[in-house]
Amino acid sequence: MQAVYPQGIHMALAHPLQKAGYAVRTATLDEPSHGLSKEILDNTDVLFWWGHMAHGEVQDALVEAVVQRVWQGMGLIVLHSGHFSKVFKRLMGTSCDLKWREVGEHERLWVVHPAHPIAAGLPEFLELEHEEMYGEHFDIPTPDELVFVSWFPGGEVFRSGCTFYRGKGRVFYFRPGHETYPTYHNPQVQQVLRNAVEWAKPHDGPKFVRGNVQPLEPLNLP
Ligand code: ZN
């Protein structure tokens, strides 16, 4: 990981987005509140989540705060092994388990939803020379939209780009990004992530009233 991402994956994700003009802030597990105070979360339009091995160390109160923000309209982009994060599992309501193999296989990601904004500007498939394999069955709810399907030389396939709507929030899961391969330096992957930010960022929508309410029309009850 050090060799491929000397400044860490968070910086490899941040730099191309900064270059594209986005205001980017990074947060890591070691920081107080994992770098995600209420104030920071309240001022975040789109949160990227990459994690591996340390999912159990993420505080449950923060998980709840992130989920609440998604329901309120914050975009969430979950990357690679983030499939097993508490936040993603909580939003999906399923185990999110899958099969995997880490031998540096080739990955081909087919665009299966060419009209989707996340596929804008891409060719019909993306190729990554070396990646970790994730295979079906991926235990997620049926995605609201499926944007990419991956093929691996070992014969497995995987739903690699999935969208989910949760409350007013938009969630995008994107599979590639194992820490020993330069996936996030790939210009087409960077394009996907920029497209995903545009798609996931908060969109205007109605403010809903919930709970006990007065009728909108007079009720002539006996
Ligand atoms: Zn991995």
Side-chain angles (χ1 to χ4, degrees), residues 50 52 80-81 102 131-132 134 177-179:
W50 188 99
H52 188 218
H80 189 58
S81 38
E102 214 295 83
E131 253 296 347
E132 179 180 9
Y134 280 4
H178 186 70
E179 61 270 24

Side-chain angles (χ1 to χ4, degrees), residues 3 13 39 49 69 117 205 213:
L13 291 167
E39 195 205 337
W49 197 285
R69 278 289 293 135
V213 293

